[in-house]
Amino acid sequence: MNLDELKFDDRGLIPAIAQDAETREVLMLAYMNRESLEITLEKKKACYFSRSRQKLWLKGETSGHFQHITSIKYDCDADTLLLEVEQQGSACHTGNYSCFYRALPLDGVS
């Protein structure tokens, strides 16, 4: 796969889902641009693009909660990435292991 075959959006971003390589738990969703993806491939650590800060963000750089990459897959449309990672510490900025720790009720929303 050539990175040029990936479909980045009009802002140059592609969604990246981080998943625990062992448990398969979904940890977080972030975005990558081409540069952050290239850094991720080079360092074997997840690097994202922060939409709010408009800059690159090496996951764990300040917290020590790095995501060590075991594989990167892409979907059938080549517009979403799946990063399988060995998570060091928690993935979520709240301190939870996964960002997906809350649930909507299936019997209706109040």
Side-chain angles (χ1 to χ4, degrees):
M1 167 86 181
N2 182 326
L3 294 187
D4 291 331
E5 295 176 32
L6 292 174
K7 296 177 185 169
F8 294 87
D9 69 14
D10 57 352
R11 296 168 296 170
L13 302 176
I14 190 168
I17 300 163
Q19 179 183 47
D20 186 297
E22 186 177 331
T23 68
R24 302 293 187 223
E25 182 176 5
V26 174
L27 302 176
M28 59 182 279
L29 168 70
Y31 290 84
M32 293 182 145
N33 62 12
R34 187 180 180 105
E35 183 181 7
S36 67
L37 179 54
E38 289 170 345
I39 291 169
T40 298
L41 290 166
E42 176 189 330
K43 295 183 180 270
K44 307 293 188 275
K45 290 181 182 174
C47 180
Y48 300 107
F49 182 80
S50 171
R51 295 175 300 159
S52 60
R53 297 187 313 255
Q54 291 292 299
K55 67 178 198 172
L56 297 179
W57 157 47
L58 181 65
K59 177 71 174 149
E61 190 169 45
T62 56
S63 66
H65 297 175
F66 293 99
Q67 292 178 337
H68 302 277
I69 305 297
T70 62
S71 76
I72 300 177
K73 298 176 181 173
Y74 55 95
D75 73 339
C76 55
D77 295 322
D79 65 359
T80 303
L81 301 174
L82 177 64
L83 283 63
E84 294 181 344
V85 304
E86 292 175 350
Q87 178 66 50
Q88 217 178 316
S90 59
C92 186
H93 73 281
T94 64
N96 286 287
Y97 184 67
S98 169
C99 292
F100 296 96
Y101 60 91
R102 300 179 287 187
L104 291 174
L106 294 178
D107 58 355
V109 179
S110 54

